[in-house]
Amino acid sequence: MWNKGLGWQVQRAAVSAAAVACLVPAGVLLFGSLRADGCFSLRQYEEILLGSKEFFTWFWNSAGYTAGILTLCVPVAVLAAYGLSLHRFPGRNALLFLYTLLMLLPFQATVVAQYLTLRALGLLDTPAAIILPCAFGAFGAFLLTQFMRGLDGEILEAARLDGAGCGRILLHIVCPLCKPAILSLVTLQAISCWSMVDQPVVFLRSEALLPLSQRLSGQTFGASAFAAGILYAVVPMLLYLCCQKALEEGISLTSIK
């Protein structure tokens, strides 16, 4: 897109420098995890994998929270987006505006309301206190609504003329067409849930229920904190690499529509 002259070379160098700067923290983390007592060693990984039962407890807590949130979040987002994008009813635009507003609000703006609700329901200091608020977030519905608005209405109308009901249209037509957007939602939501910190701090008190993201510090793992950080980062990295193509396709198509 740029004319290959001096300006293009400067811009290319600036972009390359920015990319290298983004990789510096990861490089420092990896380098630190491979050193012990001033020399190259895998001792940190040995201490984490073989000598730290708490690491696996918190690791599987993170995995369980992420899986539970995705199990509820994706169906709820698909159903909400299907109604908001392909059906007309009174108050639809106001409801979509509310979804957008809730998506823009940070966690700190709604934490008091969430805390009071969970306390009234007796769910504080339980896995449900983490899973339920995140499972019914507005981001998934907003993302899929933007995607479904671009679907060809003639295909859906032809299905209705053939006698297909709403459930059949959703399962056999809408969901297959929205596969890139759904995979994008799964990837983004999984990475977000895997790295959440604020919710466990506010809603959980038992150390045995905390996720790994909240316990990932030098105070917890001591000199092995670098190795714990590397092992913690493996899951989102693998998830991104497996879903990279679908993620890019889903986001690009949603932004175009």
Side-chain angles (χ1 to χ4, degrees):
M1 294 185 293
W2 300 322
N3 294 327
K4 292 188 177 181
L6 179 60
W8 180 80
Q9 295 292 342
V10 172
Q11 291 172 333
R12 183 179 181 182
V15 172
S16 300
V20 172
C22 292
L23 292 175
V24 168
V28 172
L29 186 65
L30 179 60
F31 179 77
S33 70
L34 296 175
R35 292 185 64 84
D37 299 329
C39 59
F40 175 81
S41 174
L42 296 177
R43 184 182 304 172
Q44 291 190 36
Y45 293 95
E46 179 182 354
E47 292 178 355
I48 291 295
L49 296 176
L50 301 180
S52 178
K53 296 181 180 179
E54 294 82 4
F55 175 86
F56 292 98
T57 299
W58 296 325
F59 180 92
W60 289 115
N61 285 345
S62 295
Y65 293 144
T66 302
I69 292 171
L70 291 177
T71 301
L72 294 177
C73 171
V74 175
V76 168
V78 170
L79 292 173
Y82 182 60
L84 291 172
S85 60
L86 302 178
H87 293 274
R88 295 185 179 275
F89 54 88
R92 183 185 69 164
N93 293 333
L95 185 59
L96 182 58
F97 174 78
L98 180 61
Y99 262 90
T100 306
L101 181 62
L102 290 175
M103 183 185 67
L104 296 176
L105 290 176
F107 171 74
Q108 291 77 8
T110 60
V111 61
V112 175
Q114 293 186 36
Y115 183 88
L116 294 177
T117 302
L118 293 172
R119 186 178 67 177
L121 295 174
L123 297 178
L124 288 178
D125 201 26
T126 66
I130 301 297
I131 295 174
L132 292 181
C134 296
F136 295 95
F139 172 74
F142 176 81
L143 178 68
L144 295 183
T145 297
Q146 296 301 109
F147 191 92
M148 289 183 186
R149 280 181 166 180
L151 297 180
D152 190 353
E154 295 181 357
I155 298 177
L156 304 180
E157 186 62 27
R160 294 190 184 98
L161 292 176
D162 288 339
C166 292
R168 187 174 181 182
I169 292 175
L170 175 63
L171 293 177
H172 296 282
I173 298 178
V174 176
C175 287
L177 292 175
C178 295
K179 183 179 178 180
I182 294 175
L183 289 177
S184 299
L185 172 61
V186 170
T187 305
L188 295 174
Q189 190 70 30
I191 294 176
S192 176
C193 297
W194 184 260
S195 59
M196 62 181 173
V197 175
D198 295 334
Q199 293 89 337
V201 172
V202 178
F203 300 145
L204 298 179
R205 295 179 181 177
S206 301
E207 187 172 312
L209 295 176
L210 293 175
L212 182 58
S213 55
Q214 205 279 326
R215 302 300 297 167
L216 203 62
S217 66
Q219 295 180 349
T220 304
F221 295 105
S224 302
F226 288 104
I230 290 294
L231 295 173
Y232 167 79
V234 167
V235 173
M237 288 177 60
L238 292 177
L239 180 63
Y240 175 78
L241 291 176
C242 293
C243 302
Q244 180 180 4
K245 184 177 180 181
L247 178 62
E248 294 174 352
E249 182 181 357
I251 293 178
S252 62
L253 291 176
T254 301
S255 61
I256 291 174
K257 294 174 181 179

